[in-house]
Amino acid sequence: MLAYLVIREGSKWADVFRLVPGQAVTIGRAPTNQVVIKDERCSRCHAEIFFSDNQWVLRDLDSRNGTAVGSNRVRGDYFLQPGDIVRIGHSQLRFVNDLSKAFAESSLMPLDELATADSSDIRAAGLTPPPEDSSVLSIHEPSTITHRRLQTRFLQPNEPDEQNLPKIGRAAATLCRLAFELAQAPDVTTIADIALAGVFGATQVDAGAVFILPRQHQGDPHESELEMLSARTDSSVPYHRMSGILASTVLREGEAVLARNVMGDSTLGSRDSRGVVDATSVICAPIRRGETILGLMHLYSTNPDRVPDPDDLEFTLAVANTVAVAIDNLSRREELAENLSQIRHENLQLRERLGVQSEIVGSSILMARVAQEIGRAAPSRATVLIRGESGVGKELVARAVHFSSPRRKGPFVCVNCAALSRSLLVSELFGHEEGAFTGATQRKMGKFEASHTGTLMLDEIGEMSPATQAKFLRVLEGHPFERVGGTETIKVDVRVIAATNRDLERDVAEGRFRRDLYFRLRVLEIVVPPLRKRAEDIAELASYFLQKFNAETGRKLRGFTPESMELMRGYRWPGNVRELKNVVERAVVLARGEFIEPDDLTLSKLATSGDTGEHAARNEFKPASLADVERQHILATLTATGWNKSQTAALLGIERTTLDRKIRRYELLDERLKRN
């Protein structure tokens, strides 16, 4: 079943490729083929060889210049025979099942002799010498997966094979596991515990501790500044802190030390509360990150049969350096977490400041939806159409879009299209040259130029004349424009936000607004709801305006009475937020008490209507709870009877005692008594 393709390009043997049954081999110029032939006469996918019916088959893949075996062109499938030479362009591929016959006339010289023969011997045999780089003739074996494993055994504790390893090998395996565990430690105390467990298992010590210097430490470290993170002992004797001389020496020199026979030596040994030195051997290693010492590892042995050696010192120093990296990485993670928390806090503050600056007030579901639409629209460059009744705050929404966008550093320019005539609006938008018309005494820059790299808001876009709409649409499509009376072309980078309270669809149907401009403006749309549809925002808006006008006028009104707040909630607000603002401002100026009473509120009797054809009737249904309906009905009946409770109870069909109970429950008062 074994077969090979020996590839010859020009006058040189180039490569050997092994064929494996069940794996088709493609030949071509493209690098995605298994056999790549760098020849212009070779197609990108030229031919393929596959195993079928116990034979190797050659098939041409509709190549441009064709495939030949010997002197015969291949048409359809061709069953290869050992020794066949496949010709593709200037390249030759010899098909063999015996590598000793891989080269022309190779029966005179086997392949292993060909590899060791000199050039003169090969040429004498009538062969082309192989390239000097023997790797070029390496046999390409198909890739196979030989092993699979879910987890590495080097990170598994107590590997049985480790007992047969030399000491340095066991130390390397232990250090590998330690580094992996230390990298996952959530705090410095856990790091210290893991380090001590690893050292106790790999060295001849039975007591020790890890010390660390303060995080904000500066200057030369001192022994008194060391804080113990964790201590451990394998004997019944508790851990004894190292001597100050030993700690100072290691901190000063920055080198790890191993001291033996320290029993009775108070300078190097460990001391308990009685000053008794009980250690036989001591290891002290600095926890060092670069040139900075972060702390110390102190280890000692109290058993004369367990004496640490220089290899234990090497291992302890390696663990100390690994601990330093883990502590440094943990500090960086904590610093990043603190910075992220601070950035989030600052971002929240900036968002709050932006909300106050733009005066967008309201926490209702509808206003939360508007805020989400602003967040989605702000990052893009697309045109935004803001729709809503007069006074809902369309300009404030436009400002929020601008100041939340990448153009926030650019200018925000607003033009009211309804406030200017056709000629003045064209001059205002595009500017004019000196002498362009009567009164044009000097050149004027238009709003488009003034808002370059920023945002231009066109309020009441539905009031723009058809002629101005045509010129505006051309600029909106990205074309340059000219000032009125000028010839210089001007191109600007401006994002346009349009606003209207008109029914643009009806205007388009009636021919008052260009259809193409309507679709160009309505790329993104934000609909601002009227105030009557978000009554839950009325109290928040009223309190905001009260604080604002208190600060402006110097008054100290404390708020609204329940009756005045109920009156505002039940009002339809045809002028929306603008009307509420004016009502509160007038009440702040004219209020006589500490609270704003219903008499201080001047509310109109205008019907609410939008340009979409909405007309509110006085008897329009307004959702209310049964308790509110009952309260209003009882109060109206009492007022109609002059607060005759017996007559009222008879009209309502209830007992007099029941009426008294409901009057107390709903806290109903006779308005005549209040006026007296």
Side-chain angles (χ1 to χ4, degrees):
M1 295 298 182
L2 294 179
Y4 302 89
L5 282 179
V6 184
I7 305 167
R8 181 169 181 164
E9 296 179 354
S11 60
K12 297 182 178 180
W13 296 106
D15 223 334
V16 177
F17 192 90
R18 182 182 178 185
L19 302 176
V20 178
Q23 297 183 8
V25 176
T26 59
I27 305 170
R29 195 176 72 253
T32 54
N33 295 286
Q34 285 85 353
V35 178
V36 180
I37 298 179
K38 299 179 181 178
D39 189 334
E40 293 182 355
R41 298 191 60 183
C42 178
S43 300
R44 292 184 58 83
C45 293
H46 196 100
E48 67 174 343
I49 297 176
F50 57 92
F51 192 75
S52 177
D53 296 333
N54 293 323
Q55 290 190 5
W56 287 99
V57 182
L58 171 67
R59 176 182 295 170
D60 184 79
L61 299 177
D62 297 327
S63 62
R64 184 178 67 243
N65 296 311
T67 305
V69 176
S71 58
N72 300 322
R73 183 162 182 170
V74 174
R75 301 183 186 280
D77 292 348
Y78 178 86
F79 294 95
L80 292 170
Q81 301 297 324
D84 282 345
I85 297 179
V86 181
R87 302 181 185 276
I88 297 177
H90 297 292
S91 302
Q92 301 176 16
L93 294 83
R94 170 162 285 190
F95 174 79
V96 296
N97 53 12
D98 186 355
L99 283 181
S100 64
K101 300 176 181 179
F103 302 94
E105 305 299 329
S106 61
S107 58
L108 300 177
M109 185 174 292
L111 182 62
D112 55 346
E113 296 180 19
L114 179 67
T116 58
D118 56 22
S119 299
S120 60
D121 294 335
I122 296 173
R123 290 191 179 93
L127 303 174
T128 301
E132 294 182 1
D133 184 2
S134 59
S135 63
V136 177
L137 283 176
S138 60
I139 300 177
H140 288 251
E141 296 285 351
S143 299
T144 57
I145 298 176
T146 59
H147 295 84
R148 293 178 182 271
R149 189 170 180 86
L150 180 63
Q151 294 179 341
T152 174
R153 66 183 181 86
F154 294 113
L155 297 181
Q156 300 298 324
N158 302 323
E159 274 291 317
D161 295 343
E162 289 184 11
Q163 303 302 323
N164 301 323
L165 294 176
K167 184 176 181 180
I168 189 171
R170 294 196 302 272
T174 303
L175 190 61
C176 177
R177 286 193 294 270
L178 270 177
F180 182 76
E181 295 174 2
L182 290 172
Q184 302 179 85
D187 51 62
V188 290
T189 303
T190 305
I191 289 176
D193 292 339
I194 294 173
L196 287 176
V199 172
F200 273 52
T203 61
Q204 300 295 314
V205 298
D206 52 25
V210 176
F211 298 84
I212 193 171
L213 290 167
R215 184 174 179 180
Q216 305 299 330
H217 168 77
Q218 294 181 351
D220 295 333
H222 192 269
E223 183 269 339
S224 60
E225 299 177 284
L226 290 171
E227 176 187 353
M228 187 169 66
L229 291 178
S230 178
R232 172 173 172 171
T233 177
D234 287 347
S235 64
S236 58
V237 181
Y239 166 78
H240 297 158
R241 189 183 179 100
M242 59 187 161
S243 67
I245 297 177
L246 177 61
S248 300
T249 301
V250 175
L251 290 175
R252 182 179 63 254
E253 303 295 337
E255 295 181 347
V257 298
L258 167 62
R260 296 177 179 172
N261 302 321
V262 296
M263 183 70 71
D265 189 342
S266 60
T267 61
L268 296 178
S270 300
R271 300 176 63 87
D272 61 8
S273 58
R274 298 169 298 169
V276 177
V277 180
D278 54 8
T280 60
S281 300
V282 174
I283 294 178
C284 190
I287 300 174
R288 183 175 51 217
R289 184 66 169 144
E291 299 297 326
T292 304
I293 295 180
L294 306 179
L296 294 179
M297 286 191 69
H298 175 230
L299 308 167
Y300 61 86
S301 173
T302 59
N303 187 350
D305 297 331
R306 301 186 64 188
V307 180
D309 55 24
D311 289 339
D312 293 336
L313 178 64
E314 292 281 353
F315 182 80
T316 303
L317 185 58
V319 172
N321 290 337
T322 307
V323 167
V325 174
I327 292 176
D328 186 61
N329 291 338
L330 181 62
S331 299
R332 292 177 184 272
R333 291 200 302 269
E334 293 175 349
E335 184 178 354
L336 288 174
E338 292 174 0
N339 292 339
L340 180 60
S341 177
Q342 182 178 359
I343 290 173
R344 286 176 176 171
H345 179 67
E346 293 176 353
N347 188 27
L348 180 60
Q349 287 183 329
L350 289 175
R351 287 178 180 272
E352 292 176 352
R353 292 176 185 175
L354 177 61
V356 172
Q357 179 183 0
S358 61
E359 297 184 356
I360 296 181
V361 179
S363 55
S364 63
I365 297 176
L366 293 178
M367 288 310 296
R369 189 177 305 163
V370 171
Q372 292 175 358
E373 293 174 353
I374 291 173
R376 287 194 294 265
S380 70
R381 297 169 53 91
T383 306
V384 181
L385 178 61
I386 303 175
R387 309 182 72 162
E389 296 180 7
S390 178
V392 294
K394 296 185 290 294
E395 182 178 344
L396 301 182
V397 173
R399 288 183 180 274
V401 172
H402 170 74
F403 287 110
S404 301
S405 72
R407 295 173 175 263
R408 65 177 65 89
K409 295 183 179 179
F412 177 82
V413 181
C414 184
V415 178
N416 191 325
C417 299
L420 301 171
S421 64
R422 173 187 173 277
S423 58
L424 288 178
L425 181 59
V426 172
S427 173
E428 191 74 13
L429 291 177
F430 307 109
H432 62 255
E433 298 288 347
E434 181 179 356
F437 50 84
T438 302
T441 58
Q442 58 184 0
R443 172 187 286 184
K444 178 182 178 181
M445 178 186 295
K447 298 300 185 184
F448 268 102
E449 291 182 78
S451 56
H452 180 59
T453 70
T455 303
L456 173 63
M457 179 191 176
L458 298 176
D459 199 6
E460 305 296 348
I461 189 70
E463 307 297 333
M464 187 180 289
S465 66
T468 308
Q469 291 177 28
K471 188 171 183 179
F472 171 62
L473 176 61
R474 181 172 176 80
V475 178
L476 200 59
E477 294 288 353
H479 297 283
F481 62 91
E482 300 172 355
R483 299 189 186 97
V484 178
T487 58
E488 178 187 358
T489 59
I490 303 170
K491 189 174 180 63
V492 293
D493 175 21
V494 175
R495 181 184 189 177
V496 173
I497 298 178
T500 184
N501 61 358
R502 296 179 61 90
D503 186 350
L504 291 184
E505 290 80 1
R506 185 177 62 187
D507 291 346
V508 169
E510 296 176 358
R512 290 194 298 267
F513 199 82
R514 292 179 63 100
R515 180 181 298 271
D516 47 3
L517 178 57
Y518 167 76
F519 289 114
R520 185 65 183 83
L521 289 174
R522 196 171 174 265
V523 178
L524 299 174
E525 186 178 60
I526 299 176
V527 179
V528 185
L531 184 57
R532 64 182 175 277
K533 291 187 178 180
R534 50 187 183 101
E536 56 268 38
D537 289 335
I538 291 176
E540 186 177 353
L541 285 164
S543 298
Y544 170 75
F545 290 131
L546 176 62
Q547 294 177 6
K548 177 180 179 181
F549 294 123
N550 267 341
E552 290 181 1
T553 60
R555 301 206 60 180
K556 298 180 179 179
L557 296 179
R558 298 172 59 184
F560 299 85
T561 63
E563 292 78 14
S564 61
M565 186 59 68
E566 182 181 354
L567 182 62
M568 287 191 294
R569 287 197 182 101
Y571 182 58
R572 299 287 297 166
W573 299 108
N576 292 293
V577 180
R578 183 185 293 120
E579 182 184 4
L580 175 60
K581 176 182 177 182
N582 296 334
V583 167
V584 174
E585 183 178 12
R586 181 182 184 278
V588 169
V589 174
L590 300 180
R592 291 166 293 184
E594 294 183 346
F595 293 89
I596 295 179
E597 301 283 348
D599 292 341
D600 299 325
L601 301 175
T602 304
L603 303 178
S604 70
K605 298 182 180 180
L606 295 175
T608 57
S609 63
D611 292 315
T612 57
E614 177 189 358
H615 294 278
R618 290 180 180 270
N619 59 351
E620 181 182 0
F621 171 77
K622 181 176 65 174
S625 65
L626 289 176
D628 290 338
V629 173
E630 184 180 52
R631 181 184 187 281
Q632 293 175 4
H633 185 62
I634 293 175
L635 180 60
T637 306
L638 285 169
T639 304
T641 60
W643 276 78
N644 186 322
K645 295 183 180 180
S646 299
Q647 185 180 358
T648 300
L651 290 173
L652 295 176
I654 59 178
E655 297 292 335
R656 169 69 183 267
T657 55
T658 303
L659 177 62
D660 290 333
R661 188 169 60 253
K662 290 183 180 293
I663 291 175
R664 290 193 299 272
R665 180 195 303 172
Y666 295 128
E667 299 179 355
L668 301 179
L669 297 175
D670 189 350
E671 295 294 331
R672 296 174 301 175
L673 297 178
K674 291 175 60 177
R675 287 194 293 268
N676 294 335

